[in-house]
Amino acid sequence: MQQPTTRYQSHPAGVPLSTPLPQTASAPTTTSKELVHPSIDDSFYFRALEKEGIHLNGPQIQAVRHGQGPLLTLAGAGCGKTTVLAARTGYLIAVRGVPASQILLVTFTSKAASEIKERIARIPCITPGAVRAVQARTFHSFGLALLRQSGRQEQILSDYSTRHTIMKILLRRLKAGETYQPETLLAALSSWKMSGEWPSDLPSNTAEEMKIKNILLAYEEWKQGRNQWDFDDILLHTSELLNDPHRLTKLQSRFTYMMVDEFQDTNTVQYDMVQKLSAGHRNLMVVGDDDQTIYSFNGARQESILDFDKVYPDATIIALPINYRSDSRILGLGTALITHNEFRRPKQLVAAGAIGLPPHYASPANVEEEAAFVADHLEEQVRLGKVTYSDIAILHRTAGSSRAMLEQLLLRGIPFIQYGNNTVFYDQSLIKTLMDHLRLSLNPRCKEAYQSTLGPLYIPREDGMSYLVEQENKQPKKYPLIHLSRWDRLKPFQQDAVKERIRLIKKLASLKPKYAIQEMRRLFYDKYLEAGDPLLHTQYKETMTDSLDELESAATQFDTVDQFIAHADELTLRHQQMEAIRDGGAGDAVQLLTIHRAKGMEFLHVYWIGASEGILPHSTALKEQVTQEMKITHPQKTDSKLAKAALEEERRLAYVAVTRAKERLYITSPLHFHGKSAEPSRFLLEAFGILKIK
């Protein structure tokens, strides 16, 4: 539990209390009511908006009135970009007389597309027919509609778990199931496609590259044989379709005005689609914020915004600086933080949001104390009636960095919604393998634990399990794994490895849990993960190392393996019970999610946990050697520029975390992480004018 010395303060640790709090200026209060004079021809439209409670500010009016030609609208966090997109659509129809069917709005999520449609429907001058005629679609939905019209009838393989299963089956068939991981192969294939390349063009210069290419082509052939596509295929085939000059000209004539939301998130293929579709008329409005480019690992290109006026020299650029979301002190922190990025378009947000409180900071001793402290605080806030659970979000950098927080929520019975990987930390496949070894040390006949121990022995799981069950039925053993040491399908060195593994399992129960995990990692697990998949040499490897280090930290709290396993099993049970209750509806629940998933969302109260060096900024961004993914994605950049880009993306993540909060923001910086001391995030110190010297 937390020590009584942990408490929220007005400044981060290391910042003198006399240092002024970052704060933005208040936004001007003038709106269309004062800015659009009744004598102006289009005043009727703004009066109609005002009757519906839509009062646009000066820059918003500029963007809405924009006529022909390219327009870059820099829409900072909480600055009303959806309102502007909807209002400009209405303006084009009601004032400029553009047929609604000639307007194409492209978004990244179906939810955003629906929201824009709903906003357009609320504009008084627009008829229901016009609302239906406007094309508001995601990139994938738009592309699929074009492909269907061209006669393509492929079924969409949309479920990730199905794709994962297919890849596993193919790996077994190709006898590569113990060498490559399905998720990393699928991620590598997706990254390749989103750079605009076809699977047939995958590199095959080495034996390793040829193996991987053959596996991925087998996956493509499996889909093709069943007339199926995945989501990436939709974009690739759409881009190819747009290479037909006749078809492209027809589309350019049909959609004479194009608007793109979240432009900073476009990957190479999406960017190519936008340029082709708008090339004929160049009536392209893009809306985005380069300060919120946080998906570079998915191919998002910050350059799409930074270089927009280089690609379109005649472009109009309008910034929307008025933030309607956050308290001026919260927004001030975000603004002071992000200004330290070099590669960005300069902009200064001003606050029009409701008055809340300045951000509060705390420095717990470690992540366990942090989680207990945050849980105590949010329970107290709810008890006092200041907030409901559903008004609260807890934001974290990586999936692993939420482990301690999730445990506190479960153990206290605090209702929560976990976004993304909806399992207890100890049940994740990477972690479960080690936990199952510990289970076997307590009960060597635990059948549920057999299967995950086979992978690190390089034994095919299904065949190995069948053999084990068959031999156990004939002659039960105290340590059933011993049967594998006599399996004639295994080579002598594999049989010896089985015996060695059993000796280790016998030893584990006598060790403290932390040392037991360290011993398994030292003797076989880290080598197995590193050598087992050549695609895991960068981002995924770092993620795995993160999770395994987190497992060691979690194990430190327990003296015996028995206690540790009991703790993990209790959490699994509680999680299952909470999931069963939540099946009836989310109800009043805290939202626990990564900062990446929180982008585009807002919450009354935000707890940003893990604001320490090594967590955010993440340790991978603090290394001199940049990841292989970044080198492949940006081959033209030097390592030093890539290292700076990696750190700037981490700073953008911190900016996104801060600007999710409307009224209250609580930031905790653990002083120790994975057994090492950790300083408060340099991003916080920079925001207060205390520069990090390295």
Side-chain angles (χ1 to χ4, degrees), residues 568-588:
D569 290 345
E570 172 70 11
L571 290 170
T572 297
L573 177 63
R574 288 182 180 239
H575 191 269
Q576 289 169 347
Q577 292 169 343
M578 186 168 285
E579 286 294 297
I581 293 170
R582 197 161 51 235
D583 282 344
D588 186 23

Side-chain angles (χ1 to χ4, degrees), residues 542-570:
E542 295 289 355
T543 302
M544 289 192 307
T545 302
D546 241 13
S547 294
L548 293 172
D549 289 348
E550 184 62 29
L551 179 62
E552 286 187 27
S553 294
T556 305
Q557 307 169 77
F558 301 92
D559 292 324
T560 68
V561 169
D562 199 5
Q563 291 172 348
F564 187 38
I565 292 297
H567 171 73
D569 290 345
E570 172 70 11

Side-chain angles (χ1 to χ4, degrees), residues 18 48 53 62 67 73 82 153 171 281 305 319 353 365 367 422 428 436 456 484 542 584 633 671:
S18 58
Q62 272 185 281
T73 305
T82 306
Q153 295 300 317
L171 287 172
H281 49 73
I305 285 183
V367 296
N422 201 19
Q428 295 171 16
D436 281 348
L484 296 170
E542 295 289 355
T633 310
L671 297 175

